[in-house]
Amino acid sequence: LWARVLTQHWPTCKLLYLLSCSSPATLEHYKAGMLLSGVGDALGFRNQLWEYNESGPAIHQELQELGGLKNITVELPDWPVSDDTVLHLATAEALVTGKEGEELLHEVASCYVEGMKDMEGRKPGPSSILGRCPQDTAPGQFWFVDDSRSSSDTEVSSSTAVSDPLTPPPRQCHCSAENDPPPPYYLLCGGPVGVLTIEEQGVSQLKPGTEGGYRVEYNPEGTGCGAAMRSMCIGLRNGKKWENPKAQQLMKYRLSHIDEYARYESSRDGCSYKLAWENIPSALSYYFLLPLSLSLPSRYPRPEQLSSLVAVAVETGRMTHPHPTGFLGAVASALFTAYAVQRRPITTWGLGLVKEACPVAQEFVKTAGYAVSETERDWGYFTEKWEWYLELRGLSSGTGPVTWPDKYGPSERDEAYKSFSFSGWAGRSGHDAPMIALDALLGAGSNWEELMSRAGFHGGDCDSTAVIACCCWGLLYGTEGVPPCNYSSLEYRDRLEISAEQLYKLSH
């Protein structure tokens, strides 16, 4: 069997071997990845000013007025990190405890609950905060929720709590009148009241330390980017296997289908291999890369631990975003950082997500047995949109060259990113935040300013796209070409770098 697989896929196996011999990621790359993720977040956020600016050209104009990126000192009070970095740190600091399995998941849930205490002025999304009352809200008071973006992308307003829900504070709309947003909603301290069409699960519903306390009920609205923006560090983590009781059944399934996955077409003139990236995820990734059990976690940056990376990303992602469009965003972010560490060509990342990681994630969901029918029902959008994007960029085979529009400046990118999106707000969902990040990485190369222009300064959720892109970029290129003023005084710099050091130690 091994001989058949290797023989039939020798050209791709040889390519993968040569790629594995590239210069490895060092400790400095790990530190740069974690550090620059925070930098991209703070720059894209700009203390709420740029995250909610719907015009990329306007942001670029303001950037010029500030003297350009090289003249911006990213420090408090003007350049705080957003909820993206706070929760990314929460994920990282849970991972480096060395805990495994369900113990790890409870630790992650606990860190998310703790992280929500640090959200003043950081604008967390609804899946993260909904149901958690601010510390200064007394029992019986109501908290106004600004849902002016969309039902699945609500932001909690900073307006004062009110005792009477019939006299709400003024709405803070971020959309045009023709969007016809639904009426406001309120949260009663201790739990939601009234009609809630927004995502009802959030960190407040996590109950770490209790059985199953790291899971929330399925909600079809949990499609946002909150899981994606905090999961990059999962791709850097190392650990031991955690046995899943249903693993042997899954392994038998894989073995029974190995022949189908490894098949090829041949003729008298020679072998005509089926699309290599169609075969490799199935014949190799599913067999080699899937441990004898669904392990949680393992040495995530390494190709042979794909299943472990996927399992942790799925379980931590759906702590707040149980819809596949939401938690597969976590898989994408974690996978892309692992690919960056592996030095895998960026042109193959999207295809690897669709053909390698997503099928493993789908099998994991079935094996875990949580919200299987609902997840299966809603699965298609994420992969279909990614396949659409790969076709758009000429990357359906993972080889390139990348297809770009003739003109692709800030204005054109705003329109393109909207076309990536679920509802017109670019980067706000689990599928398109990593999609825009990848688009920026493909276009920017090793140019830091170009990366930020594409990933961080556009008319969408630019801090969430930048936090992903900049983490990957730092892992690839370090801090070379980044003005020191951009990162030397960053909020939480020490925590980010310490987490990076611990992640590196765990993975080596």
Side-chain angles (χ1 to χ4, degrees), residues 227-228 231-232 234-235 306 309-317 324 326-339 352-354 356-362 379 382 430 434:
S231 298
M232 294 77 70
I234 295 173
L306 173 62
L309 178 152
V310 167
V312 175
V314 168
E315 288 288 26
T316 58
F327 70 71
L328 287 176
V331 173
S333 295
L335 186 72
F336 291 170
T337 55
Y339 284 167
L353 171 64
V354 174
E356 297 174 24
C358 284
V360 174
Q362 194 166 24
W379 188 268
F382 184 94

Side-chain angles (χ1 to χ4, degrees), residues 478-505:
T479 56
E480 185 176 356
V482 183
C485 60
N486 286 176
Y487 61 81
S488 58
S489 300
L490 177 71
E491 182 184 15
Y492 295 146
R493 176 183 177 179
D494 289 346
R495 287 177 63 191
L496 288 163
E497 292 187 330
I498 289 171
S499 294
E501 291 171 356
Q502 294 172 319
L503 287 165
Y504 183 83
K505 183 178 179 180

Side-chain angles (χ1 to χ4, degrees), residues 220-373:
E221 300 294 331
T223 61
C225 66
M229 73 190 189
R230 65 176 190 247
S231 298
M232 294 77 70
C233 58
I234 295 173
L236 311 181
R237 208 268 194 187
N238 180 343
K240 297 180 181 179
K241 294 180 181 179
W242 176 60
E243 296 298 326
N244 186 303
K246 297 186 179 180
Q248 295 303 321
Q249 180 181 357
L250 177 59
M251 192 59 181
K252 289 178 181 178
Y253 171 84
R254 291 302 187 199
L255 288 171
S256 68
H257 288 75
I258 190 68
D259 285 333
E260 177 186 352
Y261 293 146
R263 70 177 183 268
Y264 70 102
E265 298 171 359
S266 62
S267 67
R268 193 177 286 272
D269 294 330
C271 292
S272 174
Y273 295 97
K274 282 193 70 180
L275 183 61
W277 290 109
E278 219 174 273
N279 283 333
I280 286 300
S282 299
L284 296 183
S285 296
Y286 287 6
Y287 190 82
F288 292 53
L289 310 188
L290 190 67
L292 291 177
S293 66
L294 279 175
S295 302
L296 183 76
S298 190
R299 300 173 189 269
Y300 306 154
R302 303 184 182 183
E304 65 269 22
Q305 275 108 21
L306 173 62
S307 63
S308 299
L309 178 152
V310 167
V312 175
V314 168
E315 288 288 26
T316 58
R318 58 185 182 180
M319 287 181 184
T320 54
H321 293 74
H323 190 287
T325 300
F327 70 71
L328 287 176
V331 173
S333 295
L335 186 72
F336 291 170
T337 55
Y339 284 167
V341 171
Q342 295 167 22
R343 300 306 191 236
R344 178 165 169 164
I346 302 175
T347 54
T348 70
W349 290 11
L351 194 61
L353 171 64
V354 174
K355 297 297 185 180
E356 297 174 24
C358 284
V360 174
Q362 194 166 24
E363 285 299 333
F364 176 79
V365 168
K366 292 177 182 177
T367 306
Y370 160 70
V372 177
S373 61

Side-chain angles (χ1 to χ4, degrees), residues 30-45 51 80-91 225-233 236 329-330 332-334 336-337 349 427-429 432-438 440-441 448 451-452 454-458 461-475 490-491 496:
Y30 269 58
K31 291 172 69 174
M34 292 296 292
L35 178 62
L36 294 183
S37 70
V39 172
D41 176 32
L43 286 167
F45 186 53
E51 182 182 17
V81 298
S82 78
D83 61 305
D84 299 27
T85 295
V86 172
L87 293 179
H88 188 211
L89 272 169
T91 309
C225 66
M229 73 190 189
R230 65 176 190 247
S231 298
M232 294 77 70
C233 58
L236 311 181
S333 295
F336 291 170
T337 55
W349 290 11
R428 192 54 174 168
S429 298
D432 64 335
M435 187 180 290
I436 292 171
L438 179 62
L441 288 161
W448 168 251
L451 179 83
M452 284 306 306
R454 290 169 177 256
F457 305 140
H458 59 82
D461 195 347
C462 43
D463 60 337
S464 297
T465 55
V467 75
I468 300 168
C470 292
C471 188
C472 295
W473 193 93
L475 289 164
L490 177 71
E491 182 184 15
L496 288 163

Side-chain angles (χ1 to χ4, degrees), residues 137-213:
T137 306
Q141 288 186 309
F142 293 86
W143 190 257
F144 174 66
V145 178
D146 177 4
D147 64 327
S148 54
R149 284 288 190 172
S150 73
S151 64
S152 61
D153 293 318
T154 307
E155 294 289 337
V156 175
S157 171
S158 58
S159 46
T160 307
V162 293
S163 297
D164 183 4
L166 299 179
T167 57
R171 175 188 294 274
Q172 295 182 0
C173 285
H174 302 295
C175 61
S176 58
E178 59 267 22
N179 284 347
D180 191 23
Y185 302 99
Y186 305 92
L187 298 179
L188 178 65
C189 189
V193 296
V195 179
L196 293 170
T197 61
I198 56 179
E199 300 155 282
E200 294 188 12
Q201 53 267 34
V203 168
S204 67
Q205 296 189 27
L206 296 172
K207 299 177 177 63
T210 64
E211 184 177 358

Side-chain angles (χ1 to χ4, degrees), residues 110-132:
S110 179
C111 286
Y112 288 166
V113 171
E114 187 66 24
M116 292 310 298
K117 299 176 183 178
D118 186 17
M119 290 296 158
E120 182 66 31
R122 302 192 196 276
K123 300 297 285 184
S127 288
S128 297
I129 198 172
L130 185 60
R132 177 188 176 275

Side-chain angles (χ1 to χ4, degrees), residues 8-17 273 275-277 280 284:
Q8 294 170 10
H9 299 284
W10 174 245
T12 307
C13 292
K14 183 178 179 181
L15 175 62
L16 294 176
Y17 171 77
Y273 295 97
L275 183 61
W277 290 109
I280 286 300
L284 296 183

